[in-house]
Amino acid sequence: MKNQLKPLITIITVCYNAALTLEQTIRSVIYQTYDNIEYIIIDGGSDDGTQGIISKYDDNIAYWISEPDDGIYDAMNKGLSAGNGDYYYFLGADDVLIDSCIIERIITENSFNNCFDVIYGKVVYDNNKMFISSLGLKSLVLNTLHHQSALYSKSFFNNFKYDQKYKVIADYELTLRVFTGKYSCLKIDELIAMCSSGGISSTSNDIVNYIDAYKIRASYVNNVINIILLIIGVANSVYKNKMQCKCINIKTIL
């Protein structure tokens, strides 16, 4: 039976050869003051000592497995299948929860109740840049709901699994589902996690990501609008790259 006062929060970390960073991620979860957390780790068959680190905290981990997978979203789907929580949260193997009380604050200090499908806030990167998640028209162009800033209700995943053919932005479909669907959302003024600035999305090709976003959007908007959004996205990527080149040139001159 669902505990209305203390919902079970399932936190999922997927990893592969994450021995350098995983321990701090684990510690940020298991030392939370909130006492109704189910922690799941899905390892892709690491060969760098990652399993040894996980085993060290075996008593604090509800479920973990180490086996080859078909990429990050396959591993995330495995985590969803293994979980029992009322809400699900994904924490990268090189990310940490912002402090030991953050989950408790989300539950107790933000008018939280189990009627919300999505609860979202902010994250900060290790280069001090902040990502403030939002939902709006911009969500149709790119992902405005950072994965590490959001908790999703269990019911949200009843008819959803990550599409493994998208290697980098399959989680963008979650944002589209939230924005275009009739879901109840709670935006909170909380910094939830510190994230690595060197994640998979930061090293991927922007143009390829916008094309993948176009394919994902096909189920949510009509084709004319989708083409316009693709053009906007690609133009934004080109402009951003030009501005980065200008900054590099200026620094070189100085």
Side-chain angles (χ1 to χ4, degrees):
M1 181 176 177
K2 183 180 286 189
N3 187 333
Q4 295 292 329
L5 297 178
K6 281 200 168 184
L8 177 62
I9 308 298
T10 295
I11 298 179
I12 299 171
T13 294
V14 304
C15 59
Y16 178 70
N17 285 348
L20 293 177
T21 59
L22 181 60
E23 186 161 18
Q24 64 179 358
T25 301
I26 293 174
R27 290 170 66 87
S28 80
V29 174
I30 66 174
Y31 293 131
Q32 286 294 306
T33 57
Y34 187 72
D35 61 4
N36 201 18
I37 291 175
E38 174 187 58
Y39 191 30
I40 292 172
I41 299 178
I42 307 296
D43 176 60
S46 296
D47 56 13
D48 69 338
T50 292
Q51 293 101 323
I53 293 171
I54 301 172
S55 296
K56 179 179 175 182
Y57 297 96
D58 191 69
D59 290 343
N60 302 104
I61 299 169
Y63 173 83
W64 72 275
I65 193 170
S66 181
E67 64 182 14
D69 54 48
D70 292 326
I72 185 171
Y73 294 110
D74 180 31
M76 289 166 72
N77 285 336
K78 289 181 181 180
L80 289 171
S81 296
N84 300 288
D86 300 311
Y87 285 86
Y88 287 76
Y89 175 78
F90 290 93
L91 186 66
D94 50 3
D95 305 329
V96 294
L97 291 168
I98 200 66
D99 61 48
S100 62
C101 302
I102 181 58
I103 300 298
E104 187 160 21
R105 286 202 305 278
I106 292 172
I107 302 303
T108 62
E109 298 181 13
N110 291 283
S111 301
F112 178 94
N113 61 60
N114 284 0
C115 72
F116 293 107
D117 297 303
V118 185
I119 303 99
Y120 64 96
K122 303 174 285 189
V123 301
V124 64
Y125 291 105
D126 53 15
N127 59 9
N128 292 321
K129 291 184 178 180
M130 188 174 292
F131 190 110
I132 302 174
S133 286
S134 62
L135 290 168
L137 291 176
K138 193 176 181 180
S139 304
L140 292 174
V141 181
L142 45 79
N143 198 352
T144 59
L145 197 59
H146 196 289
H147 223 32
Q148 277 65 59
S149 77
L151 285 77
Y152 299 88
S153 70
K154 182 176 183 177
S155 60
F156 197 87
F157 294 104
N158 285 344
N159 299 304
F160 177 85
K161 288 292 186 290
Y162 293 98
D163 192 334
Q164 296 172 43
K165 69 173 175 283
Y166 301 110
K167 301 303 181 184
V168 177
I169 66 163
D171 53 321
Y172 172 53
E173 187 170 5
L174 275 178
T175 300
L176 282 177
R177 285 172 68 90
V178 173
F179 178 63
T180 61
K182 295 180 179 179
Y183 295 102
S184 58
C185 302
L186 175 66
K187 183 174 184 178
I188 59 176
D189 187 24
E190 291 282 1
L191 190 57
I192 297 176
M194 176 176 284
C195 300
S196 169
S197 55
I200 185 172
S201 60
S202 67
T203 58
S204 59
N205 186 298
D206 275 353
I207 301 297
V208 172
N209 289 344
Y210 279 117
I211 292 172
D212 281 348
Y214 167 79
K215 295 175 182 177
I216 292 171
R217 274 194 307 267
S219 300
Y220 296 88
V221 301
N222 70 55
N223 192 49
V224 173
I225 292 176
N226 202 8
I227 291 172
I228 293 171
L229 293 171
L230 173 62
I231 293 170
I232 292 172
V234 172
N236 177 68
S237 177
V238 171
Y239 174 77
K240 184 174 68 174
N241 289 336
K242 284 185 177 179
M243 294 302 294
Q244 288 175 344
C245 289
K246 284 183 179 180
C247 289
I248 293 172
N249 290 336
I250 290 172
K251 289 180 181 178
T252 301
I253 293 171
L254 294 176

